[in-house]
Amino acid sequence: DPEALRIALQMAREVRLPDLEKAEVLLTKLDTVVSQLESAKGIEALRTALRAAHEARLPAKMLENAVGQLGTREATQEALEQAMEAGCVPLLAAALQSAAGMHLPLQAAAEQLLVDLRGAQTLLLAAVAKGLMCDLVAALDAAASTNLKEEELIQKVRSKLSRLRDAQQKAQQQLRAAALARHPAELQA
């Protein structure tokens, strides 16, 4: 325990005991290990710091918090990975909020994916509002490329696109029939 060693060293200095260099070097090493343990960012850095703490034989009580943090970070990393695969904006936003300050390996990629998913979601909403076939197609392509899985919204866009395609096909058939019958009045309708 670094604190016990620190107290013992202080007492030894007060009574002027000789040959304290090895104990001072050990205390410096233990302080370094504790500092690394307390400041470790991310999963791998914390694992490395815990390994060093075990090798330095720090008491288990001093490692409890770091072990708990490692478990939390690993679980949060897993949740972040699942949220990314789910392709759901609210789920990924919540997972990123939980991961804040943990410096997880997937965090930057998840943040970029959230931006992309929100962009695709915005395109879908705008396409539904405008009702233009080209916007609907582009929005569906964006949703597919980002793996957005907002199924209700995507289905709404698909339905609107299907209705527009049906109307377009019907109009083309009427135009073709009118052209064949050579009824200019029907061409204007």
Side-chain angles (χ1 to χ4, degrees):
D1 184 358
E3 284 308 307
L5 181 56
R6 190 178 326 283
I7 292 168
L9 268 172
Q10 183 61 34
M11 294 171 95
R13 284 186 201 112
E14 287 173 6
V15 296
R16 300 190 191 273
L17 285 178
D19 301 325
L20 297 177
E21 294 82 21
K22 285 183 181 179
E24 288 173 346
V25 168
L26 177 59
L27 179 60
T28 301
K29 180 181 178 186
L30 292 176
D31 283 342
T32 301
V33 168
V34 169
S35 175
Q36 288 173 345
L37 199 57
E38 291 172 349
S39 65
K41 295 181 179 183
I43 293 173
E44 283 308 311
L46 187 53
R47 271 194 195 122
T48 302
L50 274 168
R51 205 172 299 118
H54 282 293
E55 290 170 4
R57 294 195 175 111
L58 286 180
K61 185 169 178 95
M62 292 186 76
L63 304 180
E64 287 175 358
N65 186 37
V67 169
Q69 285 179 357
L70 180 61
T72 300
R73 289 177 189 180
E74 289 173 336
T76 304
Q77 173 82 359
E78 179 67 27
L80 196 55
E81 188 175 319
Q82 291 173 357
M84 289 173 75
E85 290 173 9
C88 176
V89 171
L91 185 61
L92 185 54
L96 275 167
Q97 188 174 1
S98 295
M102 291 189 186
H103 306 279
L104 301 177
L106 282 178
Q107 214 161 341
E111 288 168 354
Q112 183 57 53
L113 179 59
L114 182 60
V115 168
D116 295 345
L117 290 174
R118 282 184 173 152
Q121 186 180 41
T122 300
L123 286 175
L124 288 169
L125 291 169
V128 168
K130 287 182 181 178
L132 298 176
M133 192 178 296
C134 59
D135 289 343
L136 294 168
V137 170
L140 285 172
D141 288 345
S145 71
T146 60
N147 201 29
L148 179 68
K149 294 179 183 163
E150 300 286 341
E151 297 302 327
E152 188 175 315
L153 180 56
I154 291 170
Q155 187 53 44
K156 192 174 187 179
V157 171
R158 284 182 179 144
S159 294
K160 192 160 201 155
L161 181 59
S162 178
R163 286 192 303 273
L164 286 174
R165 284 183 174 156
D166 289 346
Q168 182 185 41
Q169 186 177 21
K170 185 177 178 183
Q172 286 173 340
Q173 288 171 350
Q174 288 174 342
L175 184 61
R176 193 175 305 116
L180 288 175
R182 294 190 183 160
H183 293 285
E186 287 184 33
L187 282 174
Q188 292 175 357

